Amino acid sequence: MRSNYHLPVFKPAEDGIEPWLNLGNAAKLLKIAPKTLRLAAEAGEIEAFHPLSDGPWIFARASLITTAAQ
């Protein structure tokens, strides 16, 4: 499938700082409980993506390091 659609192989960021985080890693970055972060994302208080109803929440590191998110 990867060959048919010309999808590149996943490679971690060279500096180790990934631009996208899942709920657990984003909560660790902000030093809060994952449930607190999920509730804030559901309320629209923090920018997050939930592309699939049964899928994970996805957070941009750039939006998490702002003073509003802190």
Side-chain angles (χ1 to χ4, degrees):
M1 185 168 182
R2 187 178 303 279
S3 297
N4 289 340
Y5 292 102
H6 306 288
L7 298 173
V9 175
F10 172 77
K11 293 180 184 174
E14 291 180 13
D15 58 3
I17 300 174
E18 296 295 331
W20 297 98
L21 301 168
N22 64 17
L23 178 66
N25 291 337
K28 285 179 188 175
L29 178 70
L30 295 174
K31 298 178 183 165
I32 60 174
K35 184 175 181 178
T36 303
L37 183 56
R38 181 181 53 80
L39 292 173
E42 289 174 350
E45 297 172 357
I46 192 162
E47 185 180 354
F49 304 100
H50 197 220
L52 303 172
S53 60
D54 291 339
W57 283 93
I58 301 170
F59 299 85
R61 182 182 294 271
S63 66
L64 296 176
I65 59 174
T66 63
T67 55
Q70 297 293 324

